[in-house]
């Protein structure tokens, strides 16, 4: 089990080798609270041609949380403000974790693919470190006051705990804004499988709240003009979590970027529209090689 260590915190990652010619690996960075399962469709799509690296973000899956020992024990109403203001993660710190992973794996050039919070980590990483050969930014934002915020209703839904709900029911409830209802209704067995993966791999509530603190404090809006690597921006037009306006803002600020909108796509459009997304991602990666 490969693991990198930064500041005494162990960061787990998977490194799958392809049988194809040697190319820069593809590194998948997941969203807030989500485990490695999130990228299974894209990982399968690129695996025959590219090596794949998939880290667990700090606090997720097999990675350590790195939180002060007493914080996770606090009641939820006390814990959330403490994490938001004092003890939460930062996107800069999560980007440093990613650098530790790639250094541990001996990777010097990589295609970084990030979604939502993972897209924020990818931006910060590409700005501050030298290993990114290309960026693919899915359903994400550059942060700051100019960004279109997560709607209040969606934010409340994603962190809500319904009275009397089991852990599984709570996960299902919190996940609703990320998918189109039509997709959820038509794919009950897949949704059940996703819930199993989430129960196994996702961050627990304290780590999820620590990641949320990182997202709230993220802002690279005035630093993207220094980004000089090819960037593919993918976003669903019906994203109820990160409004699509953010994709257009990214395209404006990143000079070597291309925006591809997925009509009717949800926040998790790369799951709902996996075939189309995989085709675009592979074409973009091949262009860089």
């Amino acid at each position: 089990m490969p693991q990198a260590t930064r500041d005494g915190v162990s960061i787990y990652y998977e490194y799958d080798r392809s049988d194809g010619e040697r190319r820069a690996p593809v590194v998948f960075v997941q969203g807030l609270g989500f485990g490695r399962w999130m990228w299974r469709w894209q990982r399968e799509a690129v695996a025959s041609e590219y090596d794949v690296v998939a880290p667990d973000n700090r606090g997720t899956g097999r990675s350590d949380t790195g939180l002060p020992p007493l914080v996770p024990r606090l009641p939820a109403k006390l814990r959330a403000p403490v994490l938001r203001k004092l003890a939460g993660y930062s996107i800069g710190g999560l980007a440093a974790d990613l650098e530790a992973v790639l250094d541990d794996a001996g990777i010097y050039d990589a295609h970084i693919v990030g979604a939502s919070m993972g897209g924020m980590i990818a931006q910060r990483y590409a700005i501050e470190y030298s290993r990114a050969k290309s960026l693919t930014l899915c359903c994400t934002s550059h942060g700051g006051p100019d960004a279109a915020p997560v709607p209040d209703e969606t934010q409340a839904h994603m962190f809500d705990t319904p009275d009397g709900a089991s852990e599984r029911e709570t996960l299902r409830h919190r996940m609703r804004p990320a998918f189109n209802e039509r997709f959820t209704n038509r794919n009950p067995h897949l949704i059940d499988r996703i819930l199993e993966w989430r129960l196994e791999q996702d961050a627990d509530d304290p780590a999820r709240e620590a990641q949320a603190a990182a997202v709230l404090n993220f802002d690279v809006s005035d630093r993207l003009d220094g980004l000089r690597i090819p960037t593919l921006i993918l976003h669903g037009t019906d994203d109820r979590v990160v409004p699509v306006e953010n994709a257009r803002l990214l395209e404006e600020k990143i000079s070597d970027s291309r925006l591809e909108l997925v009509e009717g796509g949800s926040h998790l459009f790369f799951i709902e529209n996996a075939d189309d997304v995989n085709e675009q991602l592979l074409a973009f990666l091949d262009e860089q090689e």
Side-chain angles (χ1 to χ4, degrees):
M1 294 193 303
Q3 294 179 334
T5 302
R6 188 183 75 81
D7 290 346
V9 176
S10 176
I11 307 298
Y12 173 84
Y13 65 97
E14 293 181 346
Y15 191 177
D16 300 329
R17 311 287 180 131
S18 76
D19 295 328
E21 60 184 272
R22 290 298 96 191
R23 298 178 170 189
V26 182
V27 181
F28 290 101
V29 190
Q30 64 262 33
L32 197 161
F34 281 55
R36 279 169 282 106
W37 67 267
M38 191 185 87
W39 290 116
R40 64 186 301 121
W41 293 266
Q42 284 67 50
R43 288 177 64 175
E44 289 174 4
V46 306
S48 63
E49 298 181 39
Y50 293 87
D51 293 354
V52 169
V53 179
D56 278 337
N57 290 327
R58 179 176 294 234
T60 306
R62 299 184 187 180
S63 290
D64 293 344
T65 63
L67 292 172
L70 293 178
V71 170
R73 302 178 194 169
L74 292 172
K77 287 185 178 179
L78 288 177
R79 186 180 65 228
V82 168
L83 287 168
R84 191 161 56 244
K85 295 177 181 178
L86 298 172
Y89 304 149
S90 69
I91 296 297
L94 295 171
D97 289 345
L98 179 57
E99 171 69 0
V101 165
L102 297 190
D103 186 58
D104 185 76
I107 293 168
Y108 298 99
D109 291 292
H111 302 289
I112 313 293
V113 182
S116 200
M117 184 187 78
M120 297 177 178
I121 297 168
Q123 291 171 68
R124 184 73 181 258
Y125 183 80
I127 290 168
E128 297 191 354
Y129 301 95
S130 61
R131 301 178 204 256
K133 185 173 183 177
S134 77
L135 280 183
T136 301
L137 304 176
C138 303
C139 55
T140 194
S141 160
H142 58 47
D146 295 335
V150 178
D152 291 341
E153 179 184 351
T154 298
Q155 200 165 14
H157 200 114
M158 289 172 63
F159 285 88
D160 184 32
T161 303
D163 291 340
S166 66
E167 186 178 6
R168 187 186 184 91
E169 289 165 343
T170 297
L171 272 177
R172 185 186 293 273
H173 173 78
R174 290 175 175 178
M175 194 167 62
R176 283 193 181 278
F179 282 111
N180 283 319
E181 280 192 35
R182 186 178 180 186
F183 180 84
T184 301
N185 293 337
R186 288 187 170 190
N187 296 276
H189 298 301
L190 175 58
I191 297 299
D192 284 341
R193 287 175 66 198
I194 286 173
L195 287 170
E196 292 299 325
W197 295 330
R198 297 201 69 176
L199 287 166
E200 178 187 351
Q201 296 182 20
D202 278 14
D204 63 13
D205 279 352
R208 191 164 171 264
E209 291 159 11
Q211 291 181 9
V215 170
L216 285 172
N217 295 315
F218 173 70
D219 181 4
V220 292
S221 56
D222 61 350
R223 301 178 67 188
L224 290 176
D225 57 354
L227 207 52
R228 294 286 183 265
I229 60 175
T231 302
L232 174 64
I233 302 164
L234 299 170
H235 214 113
T237 60
D238 287 352
D239 191 331
R240 290 186 286 161
V241 180
V242 179
V244 69
E245 290 82 4
N246 290 293
R248 299 186 179 99
L249 292 170
L250 284 169
E251 184 189 27
E252 288 175 12
K253 290 183 178 289
I254 301 175
S255 58
D256 189 4
S257 65
R258 183 171 85 234
L259 171 61
E260 298 287 350
L261 297 179
V262 178
E263 195 61 38
S266 68
H267 189 57
L268 297 178
F269 69 93
F270 46 89
I271 296 176
E272 294 191 24
N273 307 90
D275 290 345
D276 291 342
V277 169
N278 294 344
E279 185 177 337
Q280 292 191 65
L281 175 60
L282 272 169
F284 174 71
L285 294 174
D286 289 347
E287 286 173 16
Q288 314 317 316
E289 294 291 337

